[in-house]
Amino acid sequence: MTQGKVDALLGIVFGDEGKGKVVDCFTPKYDVVARFAGGPNAGHTIIFEGKKFVLRSIPSGIFDEGKLNIIGNGCVIAPDLFMAEAKELEAAGYDLKSRLHISKRAHLILPTHRVLDRAYEAAKGKNKVGTTGKGIGPTYSEKASRTGLRVGDILEGFDAKYQALKARHEQMLSDLHFTEYDITDEEKLWLEGVEYMRQFPLTDTEVEINQALREGKSVLAEGAQGTLLDIDHGTYPFVSSSNTVCGGVCTGLGVAPGTIGEVFGIFKAYSTRVGAGPFPVELFDETGDKIREIGHEYGAVTGRDRRCGWVDLVALKYAIMVNGVTQLIMMKGDVLDTFPTIKACVAYEKDGQQTTTMPYDTEGWRAVYEELPGWQTDLTQMTSEDAFPQAFKDYIKYLETELETPITIVSVGPDRAQTIERVKA
Ligand code: GDP
Ligand code: IMO
Ligand code: MG
């Protein structure tokens, strides 16, 4: 935690690295927790005291009373899904309205954006992105086209603005010959969600965050998705539609580059990807199935199987570079507990050529591995790094050396309590 600074916690692979868990663990140290990008395509899992929550739009700092949580201007928000998520938390006893502020500049996901998401995917045939179907792409496209609706729009003359945009979308869908949809029920809930959102402080969150920084308060920016899903730096076009990298913190919260403090890059001891697109480390054999099964690698939002593979140093080095990662956090080491050997991808190979730097297009490249001994020890009950078996310590050391960045936190299970801070050398 750095006083008067924004620390960023960023997924640095294909998402689902465990961001929610770590943000929840870090929250006691911070005054403000803010989401800066993405929307309900995210699914951030938090487990503590026998309770489990999967957050989509609400920051993972929400469980700590007295901390301000912010949905920043870089986010997109679906009022119906937001209402469902918030009501679940309220029912569990968390008073959201006193601790959650939403940027007036965040863009609204309309029911018709979700239909457009389906229509664009259908039109892509075999080149589908495999989106979460939450209307993310169409909403960010609309933002860039300067035709979108923002949260602030719900405060005045909303109905006319909504009807006009909906009509525009209906025309677009008709042009695409995508007419098999019925949003009647969805729209009813969505409009209820808009009413519900009016009960929250809808504010100029960039002003609030900068004021907090001037007062010497600390801010944690919670990433969504991961670097390889970033619209600029990911495996385009198989990406999401926002800037998930560190630069996105500045634009998505309205903070200057100089306010960024630590940049935590979070990754798993292996790799996963959900949705379509190149994934050089993907395992199609029983090893991949075993990682999926032990790691419960099924999408938190869509329930889809996550594709699994070994850790990818080419991708991690690239992500560390574009984000300026200062500390690494390694999750899910425990999932590899029973493997006799572990592999790490050190290069990509195609047509007899090898590269250790991220190619423009990762399609068709295959992974070149280095093999390391497994630890074959149960890590899940361990509470300090002293207890780690030597082979696990060696794996951590190997990654730190290859990535030239310290791994300061190691997670050995999904619970808040299974988080080990490493002593700095
Ligand atoms: P996020 O989107 O980055 O917040 O990550 P997700 O919540 O989508 O996926 C991470 C999954 O791994 C969740 O099911 C977590 O409960 C679980 N998890 C997090 N850390 C660990 C860990 O160290 N070990 C194990 N076994 N599971 C973990
Ligand atoms: P968290 O925050 C993993 C993937 C989708 C798809 C692509 C585009 O939980 O890590 P979109 O709906 O955004 O247009 O889909 O991005 N994707 C994610 N994969 N974790 C996520 O979020 C993701 N959000 C989007 O599967 O391949
Ligand atoms: Mg997730």
Side-chain angles (χ1 to χ4, degrees):
M1 185 275 295
T2 332
Q3 219 116 36
K5 291 276 186 190
V6 183
D7 290 349
L9 186 135
L10 309 169
I12 55 169
V13 199
F14 285 109
D16 302 328
E17 296 91 349
K19 298 175 288 294
K21 169 180 162 159
V22 176
V23 169
D24 170 63
C25 288
F26 276 10
T27 298
K29 299 193 241 177
Y30 288 87
D31 300 299
V32 181
V33 179
R35 278 276 304 270
F36 62 89
N41 48 346
H44 295 180
T45 315
I46 293 123
I47 299 175
F48 59 94
E49 296 159 9
K51 292 180 274 194
K52 175 178 168 179
F53 297 93
V54 180
L55 300 180
R56 293 168 150 198
S57 291
I58 296 175
S60 303
I62 203 72
F63 303 101
D64 194 344
E65 203 182 338
K67 300 300 166 81
L68 175 60
N69 281 257
I70 284 177
I71 299 178
N73 59 276
C75 297
V76 291
I77 185 161
D80 50 347
L81 300 182
F82 169 75
M83 177 172 67
E85 183 181 340
K87 283 192 168 172
E88 191 186 324
L89 292 173
E90 286 180 322
Y94 300 98
D95 169 28
L96 298 200
K97 284 166 198 133
S98 63
R99 51 178 119 147
L100 178 60
H101 292 192
I102 305 170
S103 170
K104 284 195 279 194
R105 294 169 191 268
H107 276 248
L108 291 172
I109 303 174
L110 271 60
T112 37
H113 280 132
R114 295 191 286 242
V115 183
L116 281 164
D117 196 350
R118 295 204 292 279
Y120 293 146
E121 281 286 85
K124 285 197 160 131
K126 65 176 176 42
N127 293 321
K128 282 182 184 41
V129 176
T131 72
T132 59
K134 304 294 175 213
I136 304 297
T139 306
Y140 278 112
S141 303
E142 192 116 55
K143 173 180 177 175
S145 308
R146 298 156 294 185
T147 46
L149 279 180
R150 298 185 292 172
V151 168
D153 284 313
I154 73 176
L155 297 172
E156 220 186 291
F158 182 64
D159 191 52
K161 293 182 213 166
Y162 170 68
Q163 293 303 337
L165 188 54
K166 185 177 115 178
R168 194 176 111 82
H169 290 166
E170 284 168 345
Q171 185 57 52
M172 287 159 77
L173 287 162
S174 158
D175 293 347
L176 286 163
H177 308 291
F178 197 88
T179 47
E180 297 284 298
Y181 65 92
D182 177 5
I183 57 162
T184 321
D185 295 341
E186 230 177 284
E187 185 182 43
K188 196 165 157 280
L189 267 179
W190 192 86
L191 291 169
E192 256 177 61
V194 169
E195 283 305 315
Y196 177 77
M197 270 178 67
R198 289 198 174 107
Q199 301 169 26
F200 282 80
L202 309 177
T203 62
D204 297 313
T205 52
E206 66 283 11
V207 175
E208 292 181 309
I209 293 176
N210 281 288
Q211 179 59 29
L213 292 174
R214 267 198 302 277
E215 289 166 10
K217 291 187 174 155
S218 56
V219 178
L220 179 62
E222 173 177 2
Q225 290 77 55
T227 298
L228 299 183
L229 292 173
D230 179 274
I231 184 78
D232 284 277
H233 300 289
T235 55
Y236 192 90
F238 299 98
V239 291
S240 192
S241 301
S242 64
N243 280 118
T244 63
V245 294
C246 195
V249 175
C250 295
T251 54
L253 293 180
V255 294
T259 64
I260 303 294
E262 291 294 324
V263 181
F264 298 100
I266 180 166
F267 71 106
K268 290 189 258 213
Y270 52 92
S271 303
T272 63
R273 171 165 206 172
V274 60
F279 188 33
V281 293
E282 183 164 15
L283 293 167
F284 297 95
D285 56 7
E286 62 274 15
T287 307
D289 294 341
K290 192 173 159 190
I291 294 176
R292 182 177 311 106
E293 208 173 297
I294 301 175
H296 304 291
E297 295 296 354
Y298 305 97
V301 174
T302 57
R304 290 178 290 180
D305 280 11
R306 291 178 184 153
R307 301 154 69 191
C308 297
W310 297 113
V311 77
D312 184 345
L313 300 182
V314 178
L316 286 173
K317 282 178 191 170
Y318 178 75
I320 290 167
M321 175 184 80
V322 298
N323 291 300
V325 170
T326 57
Q327 299 185 37
L328 288 164
I329 300 176
M330 186 171 82
M331 310 299 285
K332 302 188 94 161
D334 57 295
V335 172
L336 303 182
D337 278 357
T338 57
F339 288 73
T341 50
I342 308 293
K343 285 185 189 173
C345 166
V346 291
Y348 296 158
E349 190 176 63
K350 184 158 91 172
D351 303 331
Q353 256 192 312
Q354 277 203 11
T355 179
T356 53
T357 53
M358 195 73 170
Y360 164 73
D361 182 358
T362 49
E363 192 69 68
W365 292 88
R366 23 173 244 100
V368 177
Y369 295 109
E370 208 158 286
E371 197 167 279
L372 303 135
W375 42 95
Q376 296 187 278
T377 311
D378 179 3
L379 300 177
T380 57
Q381 307 305 315
M382 294 182 181
T383 51
S384 103
E385 66 170 321
D386 300 336
F388 289 160
Q390 192 56 44
F392 188 53
K393 284 185 184 164
D394 291 346
Y395 186 52
I396 294 171
K397 188 83 227 147
Y398 170 79
L399 294 174
E400 282 185 319
T401 307
E402 288 291 319
L403 301 173
E404 299 178 71
T405 315
I407 298 177
T408 53
I409 290 173
V410 172
S411 171
V412 293
D415 197 275
R416 199 189 253 178
Q418 292 167 299
T419 316
I420 297 169
E421 224 166 308
R422 295 185 68 223
V423 181
K424 284 196 187 107

